[in-house]
Amino acid sequence: MANQDIPNQEILLDMYKKSALAKINDENARRVIMNGSLPMIYYSPRGQEIIPAAISVNLNNSDSICTIYRGMHDMVCKGIPLEKLWGEYAGKSTGTCKGKGGPMHITHPETGCMLTTGIVGSSLPIANGLALSYQIKNEKKVCVAYFGDAASNIGAFHEALNMASIWKLPVVFVCQNNRYGEHTKFEKATSVTRISDRAAAYGMPGIHVDGNDPVAMYNAAKTAIDRARNGEGPTLIEAMTFRFYGHVFGDQDGYMDKEEKAKAMAEDPLPKFRAWLIEQGYASEQVLMELEVAFDKQVKEAIASALSAPWPELDELNIDVLAAAQH
Amino acid sequence: MMESLNNQITTVEAINSALADAMTIEDGIILLGEDVADPEEGGVAGVTRGLSTRFGDSRVRSTPISEQAIVGAGIGAAMAGMRPVVEIMMMNFATVAMDMIVNHAAKLRFMSGGQTQVPLTIRMATGAGLSTAGQHADYLEAWFAHTAGIKVVTYSSPAEAYGLLQSCIFDNDPCIFIENFIAYAQKGTAPEKNSRIPLGKANIVRAGKHVTVVSYGPQVGIALAVAEKLSAEGVELEVVDLRTISPWDKATVLESVKRTGRLVINHEAVKAFGVGAEIAAVVQQELWGDLLAPVRRVGAPSCPVPYSRPLELAFMTSEADLENEIRLALK
Ligand SMILES: Cc1ncc(C[n+]2csc(CCOP(=O)(O)OP(=O)(O)O)c2C)c(N)n1
Ligand SMILES: [Mg+2]
């Protein structure tokens, strides 16, 4: 744990709850894919949960996020209702998007989950637009753009950082550096050793942080979000982490460095965080176990309800393509 | 190299061999794309597997996720005399490189008064049916076909993929080569080494006298299946595989429709403003007096590709859709 200001017990437990729920949700997702009850193309964020947990405890419900295909943890930490999330995974009418968008395109504005994109880099420019609106309307709201390490090599990243900086937009760019972009190693595709260094080119602070360290990640998130909310402009956070289950769940990850992966998995941030909370007296084993059992039950109920929910009517193909007739 | 004993190969093997065989005879061919080299497993579908090992990582390069820079580098290298083949993993990702493709690759020959040229091949895969929803499954061939200065090519079997890709690579104009994700595993007879199929020439894959069906890509297989079915009823379809979508082989299509008097165009892309509309317009103008029925089209509804399985199935064109349009044409 970083030798920094430690957030209070309430915040720490909130962070644990969020990240544990995301972890348990992921375990169930992999389970239902493996047992064939809910096959889907799934980009597991397992290993990266501390990042959105630390971000989300600094956000209000009215703040928003724009995330990517590997964004389940981001949205669960933001508070997306599980039943609707699973309804969408199952392609059912009860899903967040009536089954039309699917896992790569979850949207739930009520909890501020404004966008899930399947296009690398596209979360950043759109987050700028949400932030621009908050700024013009003086709403004191913040938008967080989540994206991966490899996304920092596409034009959209660079254009968005520059624009956010010149307009001092209330946006936080959160790069989850999990060391790989699809099958390509970070070092092979990226000209800098630290993505956070790229912030300097756009005149904004760049924070390089261990995204698996709850205390360090909390402080980075708080600094950046406070700054955005106070009208001081954007920040680029590069949160170092690792993805445990390859690019798309089921890929054989032969392109990955076996030792690197084994080491990262041995240092799973969730059990570490859990042990630390108990050791430091923030929570008892009993309390955390009860939480986890309740979360697992909640997730399983959401899955069961998604599986038994009705499919969308075929007429949905003609609905939501354009707005309903206006007068 | 990857041919199996019984002379049957998959589409992935056919494309891989087309690239390998072309690279063997022409040093100016380089491959650029995300994950295309062997440390990255030769692409997400393994299409370029083995090529970086065989031809070296100077000629076969895994790139950053930078489609604009990938296509741009392909254009520049082509202007300098190379024959680059760039891979855009999925057709939808070409959207972030459209400036390079539409404003540059397509127009440089004309705008430079013929002083420069862009012998570039841009491979891209797509197709609905895998529950990948709205940003990974669009057929966008009409966008490219609508732009002068670029050729748009696709195939209906592994051997066709081989011969057409070879022709794209050795063509002096930019070519969009469209691959279908689901059909990557499709098997077929292996082509002859270095056999090329000329661009701009359609192929009559089945002769028939009652209705002409014009199609391309995996939809040709659908047309052939419907043809078998209707043959039992005494209806003989003539199935034309366009092969090159733009510029398309008007002569072959017009000659066929002149004989049959009926035309149905079948594509996976959205019907509205699609390739079928252009063909229908030309045919009705040229063959007005010969047509026995209005030209009909099969295509997807004007809707993003949906995720939910029943919606996706309803969105995708099917044998039943084609059969229905053929019956209407025969009325
Ligand atoms: C414009 C674009 N190009 C390529 C892809 C295919 N693709 C999907 S995810 C991905 C890797 C992205 O890596 P990174 O940004 O590090 O995020 P991670 O998946 O590691 O979370 C690629 C190349 C895409 N979706 N969009
Ligand atoms: Mg990554």
Side-chain angles (χ1 to χ4, degrees), chain B residues 3-44:
Chain B
E3 282 163 38
S4 57
L5 289 176
N6 58 7
N7 211 30
Q8 290 278 305
I9 60 167
T10 65
T11 306
V12 164
E13 289 165 341
I15 296 171
N16 183 283
S17 321
L19 293 168
D21 294 346
M23 291 180 81
T24 305
I25 57 174
E26 165 65 57
D27 291 339
I29 299 170
I30 55 171
L31 308 186
L32 311 176
E34 292 155 16
D35 292 340
V36 299
D38 287 330
E40 291 74 46
E41 303 195 323
V44 280

mmCIF file of all heavy atoms in Angstrom, chain B residues 3-44:
data_model
loop_
_atom_site.group_PDB
_atom_site.id
_atom_site.type_symbol
_atom_site.label_atom_id
_atom_site.label_comp_id
_atom_site.label_asym_id
_atom_site.label_seq_id
_atom_site.Cartn_x
_atom_site.Cartn_y
_atom_site.Cartn_z
ATOM 1 N N GLU B 3 -1.139 -25.861 -47.970
ATOM 2 C CA GLU B 3 -2.133 -26.727 -48.602
ATOM 3 C C GLU B 3 -2.224 -28.083 -47.909
ATOM 4 O O GLU B 3 -1.235 -28.672 -47.526
ATOM 5 C CB GLU B 3 -1.758 -26.962 -50.072
ATOM 6 C CG GLU B 3 -2.108 -25.770 -50.941
ATOM 7 C CD GLU B 3 -1.383 -25.803 -52.271
ATOM 8 O OE1 GLU B 3 -1.230 -26.899 -52.840
ATOM 9 O OE2 GLU B 3 -0.962 -24.730 -52.733
ATOM 10 N N SER B 4 -3.423 -28.589 -47.776
ATOM 11 C CA SER B 4 -3.581 -29.898 -47.165
ATOM 12 C C SER B 4 -3.583 -30.960 -48.267
ATOM 13 O O SER B 4 -3.634 -30.655 -49.451
ATOM 14 C CB SER B 4 -4.867 -29.947 -46.350
ATOM 15 O OG SER B 4 -5.959 -29.626 -47.164
ATOM 16 N N LEU B 5 -3.532 -32.204 -47.868
ATOM 17 C CA LEU B 5 -3.325 -33.299 -48.806
ATOM 18 C C LEU B 5 -4.446 -33.448 -49.841
ATOM 19 O O LEU B 5 -4.194 -33.656 -51.015
ATOM 20 C CB LEU B 5 -3.168 -34.609 -48.034
ATOM 21 C CG LEU B 5 -1.847 -34.721 -47.258
ATOM 22 C CD1 LEU B 5 -1.817 -36.001 -46.442
ATOM 23 C CD2 LEU B 5 -0.654 -34.669 -48.221
ATOM 24 N N ASN B 6 -5.678 -33.345 -49.375
ATOM 25 C CA ASN B 6 -6.785 -33.586 -50.301
ATOM 26 C C ASN B 6 -7.088 -32.369 -51.180
ATOM 27 O O ASN B 6 -8.149 -32.283 -51.779
ATOM 28 C CB ASN B 6 -8.029 -34.028 -49.536
ATOM 29 C CG ASN B 6 -8.434 -32.983 -48.508
ATOM 30 O OD1 ASN B 6 -7.867 -31.893 -48.466
ATOM 31 N ND2 ASN B 6 -9.420 -33.312 -47.704
ATOM 32 N N ASN B 7 -6.148 -31.392 -51.167
ATOM 33 C CA ASN B 7 -6.299 -30.255 -52.046
ATOM 34 C C ASN B 7 -7.433 -29.323 -51.642
ATOM 35 O O ASN B 7 -7.901 -28.532 -52.437
ATOM 36 C CB ASN B 7 -6.492 -30.724 -53.490
ATOM 37 C CG ASN B 7 -5.925 -29.726 -54.461
ATOM 38 O OD1 ASN B 7 -4.964 -29.022 -54.133
ATOM 39 N ND2 ASN B 7 -6.518 -29.632 -55.643
ATOM 40 N N GLN B 8 -7.907 -29.462 -50.410
ATOM 41 C CA GLN B 8 -8.930 -28.548 -49.902
ATOM 42 C C GLN B 8 -8.237 -27.568 -48.961
ATOM 43 O O GLN B 8 -7.423 -27.979 -48.143
ATOM 44 C CB GLN B 8 -9.993 -29.325 -49.097
ATOM 45 C CG GLN B 8 -10.884 -30.206 -49.935
ATOM 46 C CD GLN B 8 -12.019 -29.415 -50.557
ATOM 47 O OE1 GLN B 8 -12.773 -28.749 -49.868
ATOM 48 N NE2 GLN B 8 -12.137 -29.482 -51.873
ATOM 49 N N ILE B 9 -8.542 -26.298 -49.107
ATOM 50 C CA ILE B 9 -7.953 -25.334 -48.176
ATOM 51 C C ILE B 9 -9.042 -24.414 -47.646
ATOM 52 O O ILE B 9 -10.099 -24.265 -48.254
ATOM 53 C CB ILE B 9 -6.826 -24.484 -48.826
ATOM 54 C CG1 ILE B 9 -7.368 -23.680 -50.020
ATOM 55 C CG2 ILE B 9 -5.660 -25.356 -49.239
ATOM 56 C CD1 ILE B 9 -6.399 -22.614 -50.481
ATOM 57 N N THR B 10 -8.742 -23.793 -46.502
ATOM 58 C CA THR B 10 -9.681 -22.820 -45.948
ATOM 59 C C THR B 10 -9.408 -21.452 -46.588
ATOM 60 O O THR B 10 -8.361 -21.236 -47.207
ATOM 61 C CB THR B 10 -9.512 -22.661 -44.432
ATOM 62 O OG1 THR B 10 -8.211 -22.111 -44.186
ATOM 63 C CG2 THR B 10 -9.661 -23.990 -43.709
ATOM 64 N N THR B 11 -10.328 -20.539 -46.369
ATOM 65 C CA THR B 11 -10.146 -19.185 -46.887
ATOM 66 C C THR B 11 -8.924 -18.531 -46.245
ATOM 67 O O THR B 11 -8.162 -17.831 -46.914
ATOM 68 C CB THR B 11 -11.406 -18.342 -46.627
ATOM 69 O OG1 THR B 11 -12.530 -19.037 -47.154
ATOM 70 C CG2 THR B 11 -11.301 -16.990 -47.296
ATOM 71 N N VAL B 12 -8.751 -18.779 -44.946
ATOM 72 C CA VAL B 12 -7.577 -18.208 -44.268
ATOM 73 C C VAL B 12 -6.300 -18.693 -44.946
ATOM 74 O O VAL B 12 -5.381 -17.914 -45.224
ATOM 75 C CB VAL B 12 -7.581 -18.575 -42.759
ATOM 76 C CG1 VAL B 12 -6.214 -18.336 -42.129
ATOM 77 C CG2 VAL B 12 -8.655 -17.784 -42.027
ATOM 78 N N GLU B 13 -6.251 -19.989 -45.249
ATOM 79 C CA GLU B 13 -5.061 -20.541 -45.916
ATOM 80 C C GLU B 13 -4.896 -19.953 -47.317
ATOM 81 O O GLU B 13 -3.779 -19.671 -47.759
ATOM 82 C CB GLU B 13 -5.163 -22.068 -45.992
ATOM 83 C CG GLU B 13 -4.994 -22.732 -44.625
ATOM 84 C CD GLU B 13 -5.433 -24.194 -44.600
ATOM 85 O OE1 GLU B 13 -6.193 -24.635 -45.496
ATOM 86 O OE2 GLU B 13 -5.027 -24.890 -43.663
ATOM 87 N N ALA B 14 -6.006 -19.758 -48.003
ATOM 88 C CA ALA B 14 -5.937 -19.209 -49.366
ATOM 89 C C ALA B 14 -5.379 -17.791 -49.352
ATOM 90 O O ALA B 14 -4.513 -17.445 -50.166
ATOM 91 C CB ALA B 14 -7.330 -19.219 -49.998
ATOM 92 N N ILE B 15 -5.854 -16.981 -48.423
ATOM 93 C CA ILE B 15 -5.379 -15.596 -48.359
ATOM 94 C C ILE B 15 -3.920 -15.576 -47.936
ATOM 95 O O ILE B 15 -3.097 -14.840 -48.489
ATOM 96 C CB ILE B 15 -6.267 -14.773 -47.401
ATOM 97 C CG1 ILE B 15 -7.696 -14.691 -47.965
ATOM 98 C CG2 ILE B 15 -5.692 -13.368 -47.204
ATOM 99 C CD1 ILE B 15 -8.708 -14.079 -47.011
ATOM 100 N N ASN B 16 -3.601 -16.417 -46.960
ATOM 101 C CA ASN B 16 -2.223 -16.514 -46.501
ATOM 102 C C ASN B 16 -1.297 -16.901 -47.662
ATOM 103 O O ASN B 16 -0.245 -16.290 -47.875
ATOM 104 C CB ASN B 16 -2.145 -17.547 -45.371
ATOM 105 C CG ASN B 16 -0.767 -17.659 -44.776
ATOM 106 O OD1 ASN B 16 0.120 -18.260 -45.360
ATOM 107 N ND2 ASN B 16 -0.573 -17.058 -43.604
ATOM 108 N N SER B 17 -1.701 -17.891 -48.465
ATOM 109 C CA SER B 17 -0.852 -18.308 -49.591
ATOM 110 C C SER B 17 -0.785 -17.243 -50.670
ATOM 111 O O SER B 17 0.261 -17.073 -51.297
ATOM 112 C CB SER B 17 -1.359 -19.592 -50.255
ATOM 113 O OG SER B 17 -1.816 -20.484 -49.324
ATOM 114 N N ALA B 18 -1.897 -16.540 -50.893
ATOM 115 C CA ALA B 18 -1.867 -15.481 -51.911
ATOM 116 C C ALA B 18 -0.825 -14.436 -51.527
ATOM 117 O O ALA B 18 -0.043 -13.972 -52.368
ATOM 118 C CB ALA B 18 -3.246 -14.836 -52.054
ATOM 119 N N LEU B 19 -0.808 -14.086 -50.241
ATOM 120 C CA LEU B 19 0.171 -13.100 -49.771
ATOM 121 C C LEU B 19 1.584 -13.666 -49.891
ATOM 122 O O LEU B 19 2.488 -13.007 -50.420
ATOM 123 C CB LEU B 19 -0.127 -12.721 -48.309
ATOM 124 C CG LEU B 19 -1.437 -11.956 -48.069
ATOM 125 C CD1 LEU B 19 -1.767 -11.908 -46.570
ATOM 126 C CD2 LEU B 19 -1.356 -10.534 -48.633
ATOM 127 N N ALA B 20 1.759 -14.891 -49.420
ATOM 128 C CA ALA B 20 3.099 -15.496 -49.424
ATOM 129 C C ALA B 20 3.628 -15.656 -50.848
ATOM 130 O O ALA B 20 4.780 -15.322 -51.136
ATOM 131 C CB ALA B 20 3.055 -16.855 -48.720
ATOM 132 N N ASP B 21 2.785 -16.149 -51.750
ATOM 133 C CA ASP B 21 3.241 -16.377 -53.123
ATOM 134 C C ASP B 21 3.565 -15.054 -53.816
ATOM 135 O O ASP B 21 4.540 -14.959 -54.573
ATOM 136 C CB ASP B 21 2.179 -17.159 -53.910
ATOM 137 C CG ASP B 21 1.997 -18.576 -53.355
ATOM 138 O OD1 ASP B 21 2.856 -19.017 -52.556
ATOM 139 O OD2 ASP B 21 0.992 -19.230 -53.696
ATOM 140 N N ALA B 22 2.759 -14.045 -53.541
ATOM 141 C CA ALA B 22 3.031 -12.727 -54.139
ATOM 142 C C ALA B 22 4.327 -12.149 -53.577
ATOM 143 O O ALA B 22 5.151 -11.595 -54.305
ATOM 144 C CB ALA B 22 1.855 -11.785 -53.890
ATOM 145 N N MET B 23 4.517 -12.296 -52.270
ATOM 146 C CA MET B 23 5.726 -11.745 -51.642
ATOM 147 C C MET B 23 6.983 -12.443 -52.135
ATOM 148 O O MET B 23 8.062 -11.843 -52.167
ATOM 149 C CB MET B 23 5.632 -11.878 -50.113
ATOM 150 C CG MET B 23 4.571 -10.968 -49.523
ATOM 151 S SD MET B 23 4.444 -11.124 -47.732
ATOM 152 C CE MET B 23 5.808 -10.070 -47.211
ATOM 153 N N THR B 24 6.842 -13.701 -52.513
ATOM 154 C CA THR B 24 7.986 -14.457 -53.010
ATOM 155 C C THR B 24 8.476 -13.907 -54.346
ATOM 156 O O THR B 24 9.678 -13.839 -54.596
ATOM 157 C CB THR B 24 7.600 -15.950 -53.165
ATOM 158 O OG1 THR B 24 7.095 -16.397 -51.911
ATOM 159 C CG2 THR B 24 8.782 -16.796 -53.578
ATOM 160 N N ILE B 25 7.535 -13.478 -55.175
ATOM 161 C CA ILE B 25 7.969 -13.003 -56.498
ATOM 162 C C ILE B 25 8.152 -11.493 -56.562
ATOM 163 O O ILE B 25 8.735 -10.986 -57.501
ATOM 164 C CB ILE B 25 6.998 -13.478 -57.621
ATOM 165 C CG1 ILE B 25 5.564 -13.017 -57.351
ATOM 166 C CG2 ILE B 25 7.070 -14.976 -57.811
ATOM 167 C CD1 ILE B 25 4.610 -13.345 -58.501
ATOM 168 N N GLU B 26 7.686 -10.758 -55.551
ATOM 169 C CA GLU B 26 7.771 -9.288 -55.621
ATOM 170 C C GLU B 26 8.255 -8.750 -54.277
ATOM 171 O O GLU B 26 7.538 -8.800 -53.270
ATOM 172 C CB GLU B 26 6.369 -8.739 -55.986
ATOM 173 C CG GLU B 26 6.143 -7.266 -55.760
ATOM 174 C CD GLU B 26 6.993 -6.357 -56.624
ATOM 175 O OE1 GLU B 26 6.937 -6.471 -57.853
ATOM 176 O OE2 GLU B 26 7.710 -5.501 -56.039
ATOM 177 N N ASP B 27 9.462 -8.224 -54.281
ATOM 178 C CA ASP B 27 10.055 -7.738 -53.034
ATOM 179 C C ASP B 27 9.371 -6.498 -52.487
ATOM 180 O O ASP B 27 9.501 -6.167 -51.312
ATOM 181 C CB ASP B 27 11.541 -7.389 -53.260
ATOM 182 C CG ASP B 27 12.373 -8.636 -53.508
ATOM 183 O OD1 ASP B 27 11.904 -9.723 -53.106
ATOM 184 O OD2 ASP B 27 13.456 -8.514 -54.106
ATOM 185 N N GLY B 28 8.687 -5.788 -53.348
ATOM 186 C CA GLY B 28 8.073 -4.517 -52.933
ATOM 187 C C GLY B 28 6.804 -4.695 -52.114
ATOM 188 O O GLY B 28 6.192 -3.718 -51.706
ATOM 189 N N ILE B 29 6.420 -5.939 -51.890
ATOM 190 C CA ILE B 29 5.210 -6.157 -51.094
ATOM 191 C C ILE B 29 5.565 -6.180 -49.615
ATOM 192 O O ILE B 29 6.394 -6.983 -49.177
ATOM 193 C CB ILE B 29 4.507 -7.476 -51.496
ATOM 194 C CG1 ILE B 29 4.097 -7.412 -52.971
ATOM 195 C CG2 ILE B 29 3.292 -7.729 -50.599
ATOM 196 C CD1 ILE B 29 3.608 -8.729 -53.537
ATOM 197 N N ILE B 30 4.933 -5.266 -48.861
ATOM 198 C CA ILE B 30 5.102 -5.272 -47.408
ATOM 199 C C ILE B 30 3.716 -5.389 -46.781
ATOM 200 O O ILE B 30 2.720 -5.026 -47.409
ATOM 201 C CB ILE B 30 5.813 -3.988 -46.903
ATOM 202 C CG1 ILE B 30 5.071 -2.715 -47.381
ATOM 203 C CG2 ILE B 30 7.261 -3.963 -47.368
ATOM 204 C CD1 ILE B 30 5.581 -1.425 -46.758
ATOM 205 N N LEU B 31 3.669 -5.934 -45.572
ATOM 206 C CA LEU B 31 2.394 -6.076 -44.869
ATOM 207 C C LEU B 31 2.424 -5.248 -43.589
ATOM 208 O O LEU B 31 3.357 -5.365 -42.796
ATOM 209 C CB LEU B 31 2.127 -7.543 -44.489
ATOM 210 C CG LEU B 31 2.210 -8.623 -45.559
ATOM 211 C CD1 LEU B 31 1.755 -9.962 -44.970
ATOM 212 C CD2 LEU B 31 1.349 -8.281 -46.769
ATOM 213 N N LEU B 32 1.414 -4.422 -43.415
ATOM 214 C CA LEU B 32 1.289 -3.623 -42.193
ATOM 215 C C LEU B 32 -0.090 -3.854 -41.599
ATOM 216 O O LEU B 32 -1.079 -3.886 -42.334
ATOM 217 C CB LEU B 32 1.415 -2.117 -42.501
ATOM 218 C CG LEU B 32 2.574 -1.613 -43.352
ATOM 219 C CD1 LEU B 32 2.422 -0.105 -43.591
ATOM 220 C CD2 LEU B 32 3.897 -1.892 -42.646
ATOM 221 N N GLY B 33 -0.163 -3.978 -40.287
ATOM 222 C CA GLY B 33 -1.467 -4.119 -39.652
ATOM 223 C C GLY B 33 -1.328 -4.505 -38.187
ATOM 224 O O GLY B 33 -0.257 -4.941 -37.752
ATOM 225 N N GLU B 34 -2.412 -4.339 -37.456
ATOM 226 C CA GLU B 34 -2.392 -4.641 -36.028
ATOM 227 C C GLU B 34 -2.255 -6.152 -35.806
ATOM 228 O O GLU B 34 -3.036 -6.921 -36.378
ATOM 229 C CB GLU B 34 -3.674 -4.097 -35.375
ATOM 230 C CG GLU B 34 -3.683 -2.571 -35.380
ATOM 231 C CD GLU B 34 -5.067 -1.961 -35.334
ATOM 232 O OE1 GLU B 34 -6.039 -2.655 -34.998
ATOM 233 O OE2 GLU B 34 -5.176 -0.760 -35.649
ATOM 234 N N ASP B 35 -1.259 -6.546 -35.032
ATOM 235 C CA ASP B 35 -1.044 -7.955 -34.656
ATOM 236 C C ASP B 35 -0.664 -8.869 -35.823
ATOM 237 O O ASP B 35 -0.735 -10.088 -35.683
ATOM 238 C CB ASP B 35 -2.314 -8.550 -33.999
ATOM 239 C CG ASP B 35 -2.636 -7.944 -32.642
ATOM 240 O OD1 ASP B 35 -1.725 -7.363 -32.028
ATOM 241 O OD2 ASP B 35 -3.789 -8.078 -32.199
ATOM 242 N N VAL B 36 -0.253 -8.335 -36.974
ATOM 243 C CA VAL B 36 -0.061 -9.218 -38.139
ATOM 244 C C VAL B 36 1.201 -10.084 -38.087
ATOM 245 O O VAL B 36 1.294 -11.098 -38.769
ATOM 246 C CB VAL B 36 -0.089 -8.449 -39.494
ATOM 247 C CG1 VAL B 36 -1.419 -7.764 -39.691
ATOM 248 C CG2 VAL B 36 1.068 -7.477 -39.607
ATOM 249 N N ALA B 37 2.172 -9.696 -37.270
ATOM 250 C CA ALA B 37 3.426 -10.462 -37.221
ATOM 251 C C ALA B 37 3.297 -11.655 -36.259
ATOM 252 O O ALA B 37 2.363 -11.731 -35.466
ATOM 253 C CB ALA B 37 4.579 -9.549 -36.805
ATOM 254 N N ASP B 38 4.254 -12.567 -36.340
ATOM 255 C CA ASP B 38 4.134 -13.815 -35.579
ATOM 256 C C ASP B 38 4.214 -13.693 -34.053
ATOM 257 O O ASP B 38 3.522 -14.441 -33.361
ATOM 258 C CB ASP B 38 5.125 -14.844 -36.103
ATOM 259 C CG ASP B 38 4.655 -15.368 -37.466
ATOM 260 O OD1 ASP B 38 3.433 -15.401 -37.681
ATOM 261 O OD2 ASP B 38 5.500 -15.713 -38.304
ATOM 262 N N PRO B 39 5.012 -12.773 -33.519
ATOM 263 C CA PRO B 39 4.967 -12.657 -32.045
ATOM 264 C C PRO B 39 3.551 -12.332 -31.562
ATOM 265 O O PRO B 39 3.186 -12.651 -30.445
ATOM 266 C CB PRO B 39 5.925 -11.505 -31.744
ATOM 267 C CG PRO B 39 6.824 -11.428 -32.927
ATOM 268 C CD PRO B 39 6.015 -11.882 -34.115
ATOM 269 N N GLU B 40 2.754 -11.712 -32.444
ATOM 270 C CA GLU B 40 1.364 -11.374 -32.102
ATOM 271 C C GLU B 40 0.394 -12.398 -32.705
ATOM 272 O O GLU B 40 -0.790 -12.142 -32.835
ATOM 273 C CB GLU B 40 1.032 -9.959 -32.602
ATOM 274 C CG GLU B 40 1.765 -8.856 -31.855
ATOM 275 C CD GLU B 40 3.248 -8.744 -32.213
ATOM 276 O OE1 GLU B 40 3.595 -8.774 -33.409
ATOM 277 O OE2 GLU B 40 4.076 -8.658 -31.282
ATOM 278 N N GLU B 41 0.918 -13.516 -33.111
ATOM 279 C CA GLU B 41 0.127 -14.649 -33.620
ATOM 280 C C GLU B 41 -0.442 -14.448 -35.021
ATOM 281 O O GLU B 41 -1.451 -15.049 -35.395
ATOM 282 C CB GLU B 41 -0.999 -15.027 -32.640
ATOM 283 C CG GLU B 41 -0.446 -15.371 -31.254
ATOM 284 C CD GLU B 41 -1.443 -16.079 -30.363
ATOM 285 O OE1 GLU B 41 -2.630 -15.740 -30.418
ATOM 286 O OE2 GLU B 41 -1.015 -16.983 -29.620
ATOM 287 N N GLY B 42 0.190 -13.571 -35.802
ATOM 288 C CA GLY B 42 -0.209 -13.444 -37.204
ATOM 289 C C GLY B 42 -1.648 -13.021 -37.409
ATOM 290 O O GLY B 42 -2.346 -13.529 -38.282
ATOM 291 N N GLY B 43 -2.077 -12.060 -36.614
ATOM 292 C CA GLY B 43 -3.429 -11.515 -36.773
ATOM 293 C C GLY B 43 -4.445 -12.231 -35.910
ATOM 294 O O GLY B 43 -4.243 -13.399 -35.551
ATOM 295 N N VAL B 44 -5.552 -11.540 -35.593
ATOM 296 C CA VAL B 44 -6.539 -12.144 -34.690
ATOM 297 C C VAL B 44 -7.175 -13.385 -35.301
ATOM 298 O O VAL B 44 -7.601 -14.279 -34.589
ATOM 299 C CB VAL B 44 -7.649 -11.158 -34.255
ATOM 300 C CG1 VAL B 44 -7.150 -10.255 -33.143
ATOM 301 C CG2 VAL B 44 -8.176 -10.347 -35.410
#
